[in-house]
Amino acid sequence: KNEVEQSPQNLTAQEGEFITINCSYSVGISALHWLQQHPGGGIVSLFMLSSGKKKHGRLIATINIQEKHSSLHITASHPRDSAVYICAAFGGATNKLIFGTGTLLAVQP
Amino acid sequence: NAGVTQTPKFQVLKTGQSMTLQCAQDMNHEYMSWYRQDPGMGLRLIHYSVGAGITDQGEVPNGYNVSRSTTEDFPLRLLSAAPSQTSVYFCASSYSGYRGGNYGYTFGSGTRLTVV
């Protein structure tokens, strides 16, 4: 069993829909990192959070430390949101990241 | 522009050849790391460094060497390339501690390596 699990692995949505991507982890962490990777592109850090909720534009990330679960929400989705979204557990002491396998999101116009 | 610079972006090697993937950052980050990304497996840590002169192995270090002679540079050396090393490689850097609300985690644009 992977230490960081994401669901779903693939997600197709219509433009404007509300999207949720889930991440569960089994390791102790100091923070949870959400990343975005466009096809053939680099990796961009979206959020790093250790408690509660963070919001940036149409993106919202939440974390429940007790349940070891985090969610990434996209409101009013747009085709340009199509990408792979990756969550990673951040160990803190050594700055190591343990990655999930990613969620491939396709938003259709 | 500030960030993490990786070179080359693409490389094809023959089995047995050696090469060095370059990584440089200008953000004065203490922590640097190398990951490889393979389909269905997520990113996996190869080597990392918490500061100049200090390196350590990650999850998949075999076949790779690193050194950290300066804060800015963290090259990854493939000693004798094998087809199993065909992958996309990412370099990343961050502060060693929490600053200004985050660790400043920044990734390079990646190197797509094919070993034939």
Side-chain angles (χ1 to χ4, degrees):
Chain A
K1 185 176 177 1
N2 292 335
E3 294 174 294
V4 179
E5 298 268 2
Q6 283 185 242
S7 63
Q9 287 188 309
N10 295 281
L11 180 57
T12 300
Q14 295 298 313
E15 183 173 358
E17 285 186 1
F18 181 85
I19 291 165
T20 296
I21 299 170
N22 295 300
C23 177
S24 297
Y25 54 92
S26 58
V27 293
I29 67 168
S30 60
L32 195 290
H33 208 150
W34 281 101
L35 306 155
Q36 179 193 57
Q37 184 177 26
H38 282 101
I43 298 170
V44 175
S45 173
L46 297 175
F47 296 104
M48 180 173 270
L49 67 165
S50 56
S51 65
K53 179 168 78 172
K54 286 191 175 181
K55 184 176 188 293
H56 187 261
R58 295 181 294 106
L59 300 177
I60 303 167
T62 63
I63 189 167
N64 185 317
I65 295 292
Q66 286 74 27
E67 295 185 3
K68 295 189 173 181
H69 181 268
S70 177
S71 293
L72 177 69
H73 306 285
I74 304 175
T75 62
S77 60
H78 190 276
R80 65 175 174 266
D81 297 325
S82 298
V84 175
Y85 292 85
I86 304 168
C87 71
F90 181 74
T94 57
N95 283 30
K96 291 181 185 179
L97 291 175
I98 302 172
F99 293 85
T101 54
T103 295
L104 177 59
L105 171 65
V107 181
Q108 297 177 342
Chain B
N1 292 332
V4 178
T5 302
Q6 270 186 253
T7 56
K9 292 192 183 304
F10 301 93
Q11 184 70 50
V12 178
L13 288 178
K14 293 182 179 179
T15 297
Q17 286 185 317
S18 62
M19 79 160 294
T20 300
L21 279 63
Q22 301 291 344
C23 177
Q25 54 90 11
D26 58 2
M27 297 169 286
N28 210 27
H29 284 169
E30 297 89 357
Y31 181 85
M32 297 187 74
S33 52
W34 277 101
Y35 296 91
R36 59 178 289 173
Q37 185 178 39
D38 301 294
M41 300 194 71
L43 289 108
R44 293 179 293 168
L45 181 65
I46 304 171
H47 285 285
Y48 67 97
S49 169
V50 298
I54 306 169
T55 64
D56 207 345
Q57 296 180 349
E59 183 184 354
V60 287
N62 292 340
Y64 307 96
N65 270 357
V66 292
S67 61
R68 183 96 180 268
S69 56
T70 66
T71 300
E72 294 79 19
D73 299 298
F74 191 46
L76 178 72
R77 297 182 186 85
L78 278 69
L79 308 172
S80 178
S84 61
Q85 293 179 303
T86 294
S87 187
V88 181
Y89 292 84
F90 287 95
C91 178
S93 73
S94 72
Y95 295 116
S96 59
Y98 212 63
R99 299 186 196 179
N102 63 76
Y103 284 85
Y105 233 104
T106 307
F107 287 83
S109 57
T111 297
R112 189 171 294 274
L113 175 68
T114 303
V115 182
V116 298

